Amino acid sequence: MDATAASPALARRWHRLAWASLFTVLSAVIAILVSGSNIPWSNNPGGTLGRAYLAVAVPGHFLAFGTLVMLPALAIGLWPRRPRAMIMTAVACQGLWLCLLLVDAKVFALYRFHLNAMVLNMVFGGAMQDQVSLSWSNWLQIAGVVAAVFAAQALLAWGCWRLLPPRPRRAWVLAGWTTAAVLMAAGQIATAYYDARGERAVVSQWAYLPWAQPITAKRQMRAMGVPVADRAAPLTDPKLSELAYPSAPLRCQSHQRPNVLVVVLESLRADALDPRTMPGTWALAQRSQVYDHHYSTGNATRFGLFGLLYGLPGGYWQPMLAEQRGSVLFDVLKQQGYALYLHGSAPLYSPEFDRTAFADVRELLQTAPAALSVAERDRHVVDTLRAEISSTPAGTPWFGFAFLDATHAPYHLPEGYPALDTPMAADIDFLALDQDHDATPERNRYRTAVHYADSLVSQLLQSLHEAGVEDNTIVLVTGDHAEEFNDLGLNYWGHNGNFSDHQLQVPFVLHWPAMAASRQARTSSHEDWVPTLMRHGLGCENPLEDFSTGQDLLAPAPLAPRSLLVESWSQRGIRQGPDTYVFDKFGNSTALGPDYLPLPVQQPDTAGLREAWDELTRFRRH
């Protein structure tokens, strides 16, 4: 006799679990049909492998979401006498989920990206009216579709309840959930494996899955013996790319071909640029263009370097990664015969810059030996780059990139390096950092680490003089993002926590040969570096809008106020002057002042939203 027959109460619970399982599976099938309309099954850019991956990943993806949506109903179903409440809750949750997928499917069909918090706010906040104007008949149609979805879900729930026997076999239920768990796990394992292999036929499929959270584990795969690819396989049909980047062929010809040196310091605060903390860079600044209100494109390395190397907002990270589309900057540098010296103290494959900005030059990436300490790795990077500069043949232009990591917490120093100020923390006890903690020791250690990194910058600048190329080299010194020490008094530390000046504003010292020194009060962004270099250093004649969302830093500053689109792991923000509009993953928006406290008026500025919308859609195929 089946175990469910031993107790009427237990039998009821198993019946409800069996019903919830069947209803979840059928709702997931409907969800697949809704979102699957945007998947090119017959003419997939990944070919047979791409379709095979989707055959596994799609069911697991929607079963996982469907299960999460069903959890409130299952919790209610545990109570003895509430089957009706359980069914109504399930219908409501699954109906809302399917309605959201219908909206997402339409957004993706039009703009090639999935629904997110900012788009929701634009739709319901009125900022979309300039892009999409809905008439009263459109709203009636939408209401009819919503009503039809909920009615269909109610009929499906009733049918599942009537279809099941009063005492469904436990083995059937367990077998169903086991199958679902296998599908979910198989999809994620395949994702991690093919990501490590650099298989673009697979990773390009992520763009089709709404709100996908792909697991990547290149280090673990390498440790397990999986051959991690140095280069990615090409898409079988690039015409099916989600991106139109650049939007027109580039026309670039430079007669001067200046050398370019870019030095990025991890977590570099704007106020670190002073004659005591950064004497070498400060001296360079006295004969350079210094942008006093410069902001990173994100509060984390992933998005800060992305904006600097592409001239695009961080919202393009995922499609660039999925298609492994490198920055056009390196295409032009290669075409013009530049030698490329690309160095990272920390690995440039985590985050995956080897599969985004440097995708087409990844074989040239150099990482300092892991056996060295962080401070020693920074020195190794600088010594290697200095040797490359000095040995470059006369007449060969070069592009040098150095990403130094000593200024990342816990703020690394060589053995015996003297403190810039005391007291200086011997190490960083992250558990001790709280609202009432005095940040002086940690800040002093940070400034000392910046001082050490600046000494390495000075050595690079000295190399230019020694090689006789000082007068023909564009130099940029900046940070990937900033670093906070509870400056707001709100218990924020480090970075990736907020979009305030303390985590976004970085120094931006740009030395352009033969150009007079100046201090710029304009609002500038990491998005502006690539278009400025491409236009004035590499001779690109295209309008900047063909390949970037940034501005020309050497042109007169625009008169209109500027909005900045900024990114983090869990939020997106729009900076408008001192104020910030933050959008989280749940559709909530918050308007915050310079103190990062809520503003009285919470409605986002529609002009800023429209500007952000244009930036996020400019290089997506419509």
Side-chain angles (χ1 to χ4, degrees):
M1 184 174 63
D2 192 279
T4 56
S7 164
L10 182 60
R12 284 195 295 269
R13 287 192 176 93
W14 275 104
H15 183 271
R16 295 174 190 180
L17 180 59
W19 172 85
S21 304
L22 181 59
F23 186 55
T24 299
V25 169
L26 294 178
S27 295
V29 171
I30 297 173
I32 292 172
L33 294 175
V34 170
S35 293
S37 61
N38 287 317
I39 298 176
W41 295 100
S42 61
N43 194 19
N44 190 284
T48 302
L49 179 59
R51 288 191 292 271
Y53 169 77
L54 286 174
V56 175
V58 167
H61 179 75
F62 285 98
L63 280 171
F65 270 104
T67 302
L68 289 174
V69 170
M70 185 62 74
L71 288 179
L74 284 172
I76 293 173
L78 293 176
W79 293 90
R81 300 184 180 277
R82 295 191 175 179
R84 183 174 299 177
M86 178 188 69
I87 294 172
M88 292 175 63
T89 303
V91 169
C93 292
Q94 293 288 359
L96 286 171
W97 163 238
L98 290 176
C99 287
L100 191 64
L101 283 176
L102 284 168
V103 177
D104 174 78
K106 188 62 177 178
V107 169
F108 188 86
L110 290 174
Y111 302 107
R112 293 302 185 271
F113 63 81
H114 293 288
L115 197 63
N116 55 53
M118 193 178 75
V119 176
L120 279 173
N121 198 286
M122 292 180 75
V123 172
F124 296 105
M128 277 285 287
Q129 291 177 359
D130 287 352
Q131 280 81 17
V132 179
S133 180
L134 299 179
S135 65
W136 65 268
S137 60
N138 295 141
W139 285 111
L140 282 178
Q141 291 173 0
I142 292 171
V145 170
V146 171
V149 167
F150 281 97
Q153 284 297 100
L155 286 173
L156 181 63
W158 176 83
C160 290
W161 188 270
R162 299 287 295 178
L163 180 65
L164 283 173
R167 297 181 185 275
R169 292 186 178 275
R170 180 185 297 186
W172 296 352
V173 180
L174 294 178
W177 282 109
T178 300
T179 302
V182 168
L183 284 171
M184 296 177 202
Q188 293 295 355
I189 292 171
T191 296
Y193 175 79
Y194 284 110
D195 171 74
R197 295 295 304 271
E199 184 56 70
R200 287 178 62 178
V202 168
V203 298
S204 64
Q205 309 301 322
W206 298 347
Y208 302 120
L209 302 179
W211 314 297
Q213 298 293 327
I215 292 177
T216 58
K218 286 185 284 294
R219 292 181 182 177
Q220 292 79 1
M221 288 290 173
R222 186 181 285 111
M224 293 168 60
V226 174
V228 178
D230 292 327
R231 296 196 62 81
L235 288 173
T236 57
D237 188 357
K239 293 180 181 179
L240 292 177
S241 166
E242 181 185 352
L243 297 166
Y245 168 80
S247 60
L250 296 183
R251 305 181 302 278
C252 304
Q253 185 175 1
S254 174
H255 300 290
Q256 296 179 336
R257 296 196 304 169
N259 305 313
V260 183
L261 174 62
V262 179
V263 185
V264 181
L265 275 61
E266 170 73 52
S267 307
L268 186 62
R269 290 170 59 102
D271 58 11
L273 182 60
D274 63 51
R276 189 157 178 263
T277 308
M278 300 185 72
T281 306
W282 179 265
L284 176 69
Q286 305 318 299
R287 58 183 194 275
S288 305
Q289 293 74 53
V290 179
Y291 294 80
D292 290 324
H293 299 281
H294 186 87
Y295 293 87
S296 174
T297 41
N299 57 18
T301 299
R302 175 177 303 227
F303 303 111
L305 280 188
F306 183 92
L308 186 72
L309 295 171
Y310 278 95
L312 299 173
Y316 284 95
W317 168 270
Q318 192 55 53
M320 289 291 186
L321 175 60
E323 299 184 10
Q324 304 207 26
R325 300 283 294 275
S327 170
V328 294
L329 169 64
F330 296 104
D331 292 338
V332 175
L333 289 170
K334 288 194 300 180
Q335 290 167 6
Q336 297 190 4
Y338 274 74
L340 300 178
Y341 308 137
L342 310 173
H343 296 272
S345 177
L348 291 172
Y349 57 78
S350 181
E352 301 94 335
F353 295 114
D354 63 326
R355 303 188 180 191
T356 49
F358 300 114
D360 297 321
V361 293
R362 73 180 71 189
E363 69 278 2
L364 301 176
L365 294 180
Q366 300 185 56
T367 300
L372 300 176
S373 70
V374 174
E376 291 170 338
R377 292 204 298 264
D378 279 7
R379 180 171 296 279
H380 175 88
V381 163
V382 169
D383 289 345
T384 305
L385 182 52
R386 292 184 70 187
E388 290 170 334
I389 291 172
S390 64
S391 62
T392 302
T396 300
W398 53 264
F399 178 95
F401 175 82
F403 183 37
L404 305 183
D405 205 37
T407 45
H408 191 287
Y411 318 124
H412 306 270
L413 296 169
E415 187 71 28
Y417 198 85
L420 197 61
D421 282 306
T422 57
M424 184 180 82
D427 54 25
I428 305 299
D429 181 2
F430 294 98
L431 297 180
L433 304 180
D434 58 26
Q435 181 77 19
D436 301 320
H437 182 79
D438 179 9
T440 302
E442 289 79 14
R443 191 187 293 266
N444 285 341
R445 183 174 182 86
Y446 167 79
R447 292 180 63 244
T448 303
V450 173
H451 186 272
Y452 166 66
D454 179 76
S455 72
L456 301 179
V457 175
S458 297
Q459 293 177 27
L460 281 172
L461 298 177
Q462 179 63 25
S463 297
L464 303 182
H465 176 74
E466 294 170 353
V469 296
E470 191 173 21
D471 295 334
N472 188 39
T473 302
I474 300 166
V475 179
L476 170 65
V477 180
T478 187
D480 58 342
H481 51 75
E483 187 84 342
E484 184 172 359
F485 294 90
N486 197 27
D487 298 79
L488 294 167
L490 299 175
N491 202 28
Y492 285 108
W493 297 85
H495 53 272
N496 202 30
N498 62 51
F499 296 124
S500 69
D501 287 1
H502 309 292
Q503 296 194 29
L504 287 179
Q505 191 173 2
V506 296
F508 197 84
V509 178
L510 178 59
H511 180 72
W512 208 282
M515 186 170 292
S518 65
R519 304 289 295 230
Q520 301 285 336
R522 67 197 293 173
T523 298
S524 57
S525 164
H526 271 5
E527 295 176 38
D528 304 335
W529 162 240
V530 164
T532 301
L533 177 63
M534 297 270 279
R535 170 170 286 179
H536 298 282
L538 303 179
C540 293
E541 301 174 356
N542 296 64
L544 301 187
E545 293 78 9
D546 282 357
F547 59 90
S548 174
T549 55
Q551 298 179 357
D552 182 352
L553 291 173
L554 302 184
L559 298 177
R562 182 180 187 181
S563 296
L564 299 177
L565 190 61
V566 291
E567 201 86 12
S568 78
W569 286 86
S570 58
Q571 297 177 326
R572 175 171 292 156
I574 299 176
R575 289 285 307 246
Q576 293 182 308
D579 300 333
T580 305
Y581 297 93
V582 177
F583 301 85
D584 65 23
K585 288 187 174 181
F586 304 101
N588 304 309
S589 66
T590 306
L592 303 166
D595 53 4
Y596 227 67
L597 296 175
L599 294 171
V601 178
Q602 284 289 304
Q603 183 62 35
D605 178 76
T606 55
L609 283 172
R610 285 193 295 271
E611 185 176 340
W613 175 266
D614 176 69
E615 289 191 6
L616 287 172
T617 58
R618 183 177 302 172
F619 297 105
R620 296 177 185 268
R621 295 189 188 277
H622 292 179

